[in-house]
Structure formats: structure tokens, C-alpha cells
Amino acid sequence: MDGLEHISLDDNRTLQAIGILADVLDGVDGPGGLDTVLVSKALRQVIATKSQPAFEFATRAFNTLDPEVRRKVAEDADHAAHDAVELRARVGGFLSTAPKRVGPAQPGQPTSFLNALNLRARRRPSSKE
């Protein structure tokens, strides 16, 4: 679980990112579609319980998906998160700065659950910068 220690399940943005990832997983069709629905359900359990064991289970489940499916899901979740941020900005949402642009996952490298989840963190400017 390297790198997952800093994930706070009490953070609304983290829970929103998990929800976006679950929504994208629900939309996957074709081979592996059943697996993505099961991972989506595991992610929704994380949102409902804010449980670290549920989060760890969902992480393991996500990482069992085919690398190409994970890459596509991460890319689609990134676009969905970007669209959500733009919509909030247009309707006077809580974000006042434009999100940073993140490049696509490198071909041949499987996208991990943490990378897919953290795309949202790379999109907003850090208060430390």
C-alpha cells in the first residue's frame, strides 16, 4: 500500500474523486465490464463507510483490472473530474483557479488505483507553491 497513507477518507475532494472513478467504472462495457462494476461497488462502499479496510480492498480490486482498462478508466476519470471542476467554476463553485493540465498515462505503464485517484490532486494548484 505504498503511497496510500496520505489519503484522507474524511476529505470531501477525495470522496468526490472516488465517486467519479466509480461512475466511470460503471460505464465500462465490453470485456472486463463485470469486474469494473464490482470495483465500482467496492469504491462506493468506501464512500459510504469511509473505512480504511474498504479503501484497501477497493485498491487491490482496482489493481486487478487489466492494465489497458485501468489506463482508460484513469483517463476518462481525469476528463470527468476536469469537466466537474469547469462546471463548478461556471456556476460560482468553490474553485477559483484553473486546474493544471495533466498528460495521459504513458503507454505500456499500467495505471494504478493511486494514480487514477490522485489525478485530481495534480489538477489543482498546491497552496505550498
Short mmCIF file of all heavy atoms in Angstrom, two decimals, residues 62-75 105-112:
data_model
loop_
_atom_site.label_atom_id
_atom_site.label_comp_id
_atom_site.label_asym_id
_atom_site.label_seq_id
_atom_site.Cartn_x
_atom_site.Cartn_y
_atom_site.Cartn_z
N PHE A 62 -9.12 -2.68 -7.78
CA PHE A 62 -8.81 -1.86 -8.95
C PHE A 62 -7.53 -2.35 -9.62
O PHE A 62 -7.47 -2.42 -10.86
CB PHE A 62 -8.66 -0.39 -8.54
CG PHE A 62 -8.42 0.54 -9.69
CD1 PHE A 62 -9.48 1.07 -10.41
CD2 PHE A 62 -7.13 0.88 -10.07
CE1 PHE A 62 -9.25 1.92 -11.49
CE2 PHE A 62 -6.90 1.73 -11.15
CZ PHE A 62 -7.97 2.26 -11.85
N ASN A 63 -6.53 -2.68 -8.83
CA ASN A 63 -5.24 -3.09 -9.39
C ASN A 63 -5.28 -4.46 -10.06
O ASN A 63 -4.33 -4.81 -10.76
CB ASN A 63 -4.16 -3.02 -8.31
CG ASN A 63 -3.79 -1.59 -7.99
OD1 ASN A 63 -3.90 -0.70 -8.82
ND2 ASN A 63 -3.38 -1.36 -6.76
N THR A 64 -6.38 -5.21 -9.88
CA THR A 64 -6.51 -6.49 -10.58
C THR A 64 -7.09 -6.32 -11.99
O THR A 64 -7.06 -7.27 -12.77
CB THR A 64 -7.40 -7.49 -9.80
OG1 THR A 64 -8.73 -6.99 -9.75
CG2 THR A 64 -6.86 -7.76 -8.41
N LEU A 65 -7.62 -5.14 -12.28
CA LEU A 65 -8.18 -4.91 -13.62
C LEU A 65 -7.06 -4.94 -14.66
O LEU A 65 -5.91 -4.64 -14.36
CB LEU A 65 -8.89 -3.56 -13.67
CG LEU A 65 -10.12 -3.39 -12.78
CD1 LEU A 65 -10.63 -1.96 -12.84
CD2 LEU A 65 -11.21 -4.38 -13.16
N ASP A 66 -7.44 -5.26 -15.87
CA ASP A 66 -6.50 -5.26 -16.98
C ASP A 66 -5.82 -3.89 -17.08
O ASP A 66 -6.50 -2.86 -16.94
CB ASP A 66 -7.28 -5.56 -18.27
CG ASP A 66 -6.39 -5.56 -19.49
OD1 ASP A 66 -5.74 -6.59 -19.74
OD2 ASP A 66 -6.34 -4.51 -20.17
N PRO A 67 -4.50 -3.85 -17.31
CA PRO A 67 -3.79 -2.56 -17.37
C PRO A 67 -4.39 -1.58 -18.39
O PRO A 67 -4.44 -0.38 -18.12
CB PRO A 67 -2.37 -2.95 -17.77
CG PRO A 67 -2.22 -4.35 -17.28
CD PRO A 67 -3.58 -4.98 -17.43
N GLU A 68 -4.85 -2.07 -19.50
CA GLU A 68 -5.44 -1.17 -20.51
C GLU A 68 -6.77 -0.61 -20.01
O GLU A 68 -7.09 0.56 -20.25
CB GLU A 68 -5.64 -1.91 -21.84
CG GLU A 68 -6.18 -1.04 -22.95
CD GLU A 68 -5.30 0.17 -23.29
OE1 GLU A 68 -4.08 0.13 -23.07
OE2 GLU A 68 -5.86 1.18 -23.78
N VAL A 69 -7.55 -1.41 -19.30
CA VAL A 69 -8.81 -0.94 -18.72
C VAL A 69 -8.50 0.13 -17.67
O VAL A 69 -9.15 1.18 -17.63
CB VAL A 69 -9.62 -2.10 -18.12
CG1 VAL A 69 -10.81 -1.59 -17.32
CG2 VAL A 69 -10.10 -3.05 -19.22
N ARG A 70 -7.50 -0.13 -16.82
CA ARG A 70 -7.13 0.86 -15.80
C ARG A 70 -6.68 2.17 -16.44
O ARG A 70 -7.06 3.25 -15.97
CB ARG A 70 -6.00 0.33 -14.90
CG ARG A 70 -6.44 -0.80 -14.01
CD ARG A 70 -5.44 -1.10 -12.91
NE ARG A 70 -4.06 -1.17 -13.31
CZ ARG A 70 -3.35 -2.27 -13.44
NH1 ARG A 70 -3.91 -3.44 -13.23
NH2 ARG A 70 -2.08 -2.22 -13.79
N ARG A 71 -5.91 2.09 -17.50
CA ARG A 71 -5.44 3.29 -18.18
C ARG A 71 -6.61 4.08 -18.75
O ARG A 71 -6.72 5.29 -18.56
CB ARG A 71 -4.46 2.95 -19.32
CG ARG A 71 -3.85 4.21 -19.96
CD ARG A 71 -3.34 3.94 -21.36
NE ARG A 71 -4.36 3.49 -22.30
CZ ARG A 71 -5.30 4.26 -22.84
NH1 ARG A 71 -5.40 5.51 -22.55
NH2 ARG A 71 -6.19 3.75 -23.69
N LYS A 72 -7.53 3.39 -19.40
CA LYS A 72 -8.70 4.04 -19.99
C LYS A 72 -9.59 4.64 -18.91
O LYS A 72 -10.09 5.78 -19.05
CB LYS A 72 -9.48 3.03 -20.84
CG LYS A 72 -10.73 3.58 -21.48
CD LYS A 72 -10.42 4.56 -22.59
CE LYS A 72 -11.68 4.91 -23.35
NZ LYS A 72 -11.91 6.33 -23.41
N VAL A 73 -9.81 3.91 -17.83
CA VAL A 73 -10.64 4.41 -16.73
C VAL A 73 -10.00 5.64 -16.12
O VAL A 73 -10.69 6.64 -15.85
CB VAL A 73 -10.87 3.30 -15.67
CG1 VAL A 73 -11.40 3.86 -14.38
CG2 VAL A 73 -11.82 2.24 -16.23
N ALA A 74 -8.69 5.61 -15.90
CA ALA A 74 -8.00 6.77 -15.32
C ALA A 74 -8.12 7.99 -16.23
O ALA A 74 -8.38 9.10 -15.77
CB ALA A 74 -6.53 6.44 -15.07
N GLU A 75 -7.96 7.77 -17.53
CA GLU A 75 -8.09 8.86 -18.50
C GLU A 75 -9.51 9.43 -18.50
O GLU A 75 -9.70 10.66 -18.45
CB GLU A 75 -7.71 8.34 -19.88
CG GLU A 75 -7.69 9.38 -20.96
CD GLU A 75 -7.28 8.76 -22.29
OE1 GLU A 75 -6.11 8.34 -22.41
OE2 GLU A 75 -8.13 8.68 -23.19
N ALA A 105 -1.55 8.91 -19.28
CA ALA A 105 -0.65 7.88 -18.77
C ALA A 105 0.27 7.43 -19.90
O ALA A 105 -0.12 7.39 -21.06
CB ALA A 105 -1.46 6.70 -18.25
N GLN A 106 1.48 7.10 -19.55
CA GLN A 106 2.44 6.65 -20.55
C GLN A 106 2.04 5.27 -21.07
O GLN A 106 1.70 4.40 -20.27
CB GLN A 106 3.84 6.58 -19.93
CG GLN A 106 4.38 7.92 -19.51
CD GLN A 106 4.55 8.86 -20.69
OE1 GLN A 106 5.03 8.46 -21.74
NE2 GLN A 106 4.13 10.09 -20.53
N PRO A 107 2.07 5.06 -22.38
CA PRO A 107 1.72 3.74 -22.91
C PRO A 107 2.66 2.69 -22.35
O PRO A 107 3.84 2.92 -22.14
CB PRO A 107 1.94 3.90 -24.43
CG PRO A 107 1.96 5.37 -24.67
CD PRO A 107 2.41 6.02 -23.39
N GLY A 108 2.09 1.52 -22.07
CA GLY A 108 2.89 0.42 -21.56
C GLY A 108 3.02 0.41 -20.06
O GLY A 108 3.49 -0.54 -19.48
N GLN A 109 2.63 1.50 -19.39
CA GLN A 109 2.68 1.54 -17.94
C GLN A 109 1.26 1.40 -17.41
O GLN A 109 0.40 2.21 -17.71
CB GLN A 109 3.24 2.87 -17.45
CG GLN A 109 4.70 3.07 -17.72
CD GLN A 109 5.18 4.40 -17.16
OE1 GLN A 109 4.42 5.35 -17.04
NE2 GLN A 109 6.45 4.45 -16.83
N PRO A 110 1.01 0.35 -16.60
CA PRO A 110 -0.33 0.22 -16.05
C PRO A 110 -0.61 1.36 -15.08
O PRO A 110 0.27 1.81 -14.36
CB PRO A 110 -0.30 -1.13 -15.33
CG PRO A 110 1.13 -1.47 -15.17
CD PRO A 110 1.90 -0.71 -16.20
N THR A 111 -1.82 1.86 -15.12
CA THR A 111 -2.21 2.93 -14.22
C THR A 111 -2.70 2.33 -12.92
O THR A 111 -3.60 1.50 -12.92
CB THR A 111 -3.32 3.78 -14.86
OG1 THR A 111 -2.84 4.28 -16.09
CG2 THR A 111 -3.71 4.93 -13.97
N SER A 112 -2.10 2.73 -11.83
CA SER A 112 -2.51 2.19 -10.54
C SER A 112 -3.73 2.92 -10.02
O SER A 112 -4.07 4.01 -10.48
CB SER A 112 -1.37 2.32 -9.53
OG SER A 112 -1.19 3.67 -9.17
#
